Amino acid sequence: MKYDAPPYMHDVLPYEPSQDSWRHAARWQALESIFRGVCRDFAYKEIRTPVMESTELFTRSVGEGTDIVRKEMFTFEDRGGRSMTLRPEGTAPTIRAYVENHLFQETPVSKLFYISTIYRYEHGQKGRYREHQQTGVEALGSADPSLDAEILAMAIEFYRRIGITNAELKINSVGCPVCRPVYREALTAFAEPLLASMSEDNQERFKSNPLRMLDSKDRNDKSLLANAPRLLDYLCEECSNHFETLKCYLDGMGIVYTIDTSLVRGFDYYTKTAFEIVSRELGAQNSIGGGGRYDGLVEEIGGPPTPGIGFGIGTERCLLVLQQLGITLPLEDASPAAMIAPLVPEARPVGVVLLNRLRQAGISADMDYAGKSLKAQMRQADKVGAKTVIMIGEDELANGKVTIKQMGGDRTQSVVTMEEAAATLAAMGVAN
């Protein structure tokens, strides 16, 4: 019987695969490390939420008329008869945790980040997987556009640090509950005569959430709506001032952006600022991150009125772009400082004790467990990148010592006692 990973899900491997090098775990760790560094520099703290939530959390927050809720959620009934859903996005679970744990009492502005797996029943293709990882941030407690600017600057800084300098930032304002209904009327009046020629999805969006017609990827829909009224022309004074101030901040920081009047994002909870970051390296599925402001979401989920803004970045999509650009992030050196090589069966108990001592001293070490010859053990040490090999043979056992052989270079050897081994490795500059 043969078992494979579920469709459009993948294994992340300890060694670089011959194809799809982005599935190498060391690359994920490097990307996550850089993201954590950016979060630290911007004063964001980590939050971790369960992989599943009550289905209602997503239907209420994301919106029943969205593609995510209608088509893409992994929803099931648990043994207690509750409807549960594997998280299809990172914001709603973070806000639920923020409300449930009263994080709003800790500080006026809560700045949070997460690294989470996301589940959506996608039509699998390059960069679009049913299980994928998302790094994201949420800033809660301020409606000031300077916080919007910080969020955008944070995303751009992350891309800069990993080497993606050709990403394009698109921004828009989707208004608020005051001005959006006026625009919705203008949009539906424009779209209604064209509805019969639109896709089935857009006909459904016309009924449930007309703004999301602008988010259609169907070429014919895009063509039909090319001359639709612009939301920016219908913004109330508050939303207009907010957007103009944000643009001033971005200009001041030298952040290049494009205003995309059709950008509405895929969630119902967005207000005012919406943005997306795209890369031409991915083809059709070119979005590598995006987000926006959601000033009514905390209250919708049961918390006090609290403005917020955040973004999510797809890990796999970033790694695919890096692969296309030929960029390799600095990978952590995972090779052991020492490989212990017992040369006779009697040496194995001594090797086990020494191995434990080195690890207790904070020195990475490994040992041959297969009873191979010295030549085979040396080849294995080379393969794993060990910096030294510690040999224990009959002579070493008789003298109560071990032989440390440095790999690479002139391969010098030192004969020391077991008690001196850790200090010798440190003196050689190979201990980590």
Side-chain angles (χ1 to χ4, degrees), residues 33-251:
S33 177
I34 293 171
F35 178 73
R36 289 179 183 278
V38 172
C39 291
R40 180 190 62 244
D41 294 345
F42 281 72
Y44 284 68
K45 298 182 182 299
E46 185 173 11
I47 188 168
R48 304 188 187 196
T49 62
V51 73
M52 69 180 73
E53 300 275 357
S54 167
T55 301
E56 188 181 4
L57 174 67
F58 301 112
T59 57
R60 285 179 64 88
S61 60
V62 176
E64 292 190 18
T66 61
D67 286 353
I68 290 175
V69 172
R70 288 173 54 233
K71 303 177 181 179
E72 298 173 358
M73 296 202 313
F74 284 90
T75 298
F76 60 95
E77 186 176 288
D78 71 6
R79 292 181 182 272
R82 295 170 288 257
S83 179
M84 307 297 292
T85 295
L86 298 178
R87 64 176 165 237
E89 58 98 30
T91 298
T94 301
I95 304 306
R96 191 270 310 149
Y98 170 82
V99 172
E100 181 178 346
N101 295 283
H102 299 92
L103 298 186
F104 45 83
Q105 296 177 350
E106 299 295 326
T107 179
V109 176
S110 295
K111 300 168 75 172
L112 311 170
F113 80 88
Y114 60 83
I115 300 175
S116 299
T117 48
I118 303 296
Y119 298 87
R120 294 186 193 172
Y121 197 85
E122 302 271 20
H123 297 294
Q125 53 188 294
K126 182 179 180 181
R128 201 174 183 95
Y129 306 112
R130 291 178 181 171
E131 179 188 61
H132 63 273
Q133 181 173 281
Q134 188 177 97
T135 56
V137 304
E138 315 293 348
L140 300 146
S142 173
D144 195 294
S146 62
L147 191 58
D148 303 46
E150 174 179 283
I151 288 287
L152 288 164
M154 190 176 183
I156 295 300
E157 176 61 13
F158 169 70
Y159 292 120
R160 187 192 70 79
R161 291 191 191 184
I162 65 175
I164 299 178
T165 57
N166 64 344
E168 180 184 359
L169 170 63
K170 298 181 178 183
I171 65 171
N172 193 24
S173 176
V174 295
C176 69
V178 173
C179 54
R180 199 155 48 207
V182 180
Y183 173 70
R184 187 183 294 115
E185 288 185 13
L187 179 61
T188 53
F190 175 87
E192 191 167 16
L194 308 171
L195 204 57
S197 301
M198 290 190 190
S199 67
E200 187 177 328
D201 280 344
N202 250 19
Q203 292 178 23
E204 181 62 35
R205 289 167 183 150
F206 180 86
K207 301 174 187 175
S208 60
N209 188 346
L211 264 70
R212 294 212 58 252
M213 293 190 297
L214 301 173
D215 196 38
S216 174
K217 303 300 186 286
D218 184 278
R219 290 184 179 180
N220 184 57
D221 290 344
K222 285 182 172 293
S223 177
L224 291 169
L225 294 169
N227 296 317
R230 302 188 329 150
L231 207 161
L232 289 180
D233 296 330
Y234 289 79
L235 296 181
C236 62
E237 184 178 2
E238 179 186 342
C239 290
S240 180
N241 290 339
H242 187 279
F243 193 58
E244 291 302 317
T245 305
L246 170 61
K247 290 192 294 179
C248 287
Y249 285 136
L250 296 179
D251 292 338

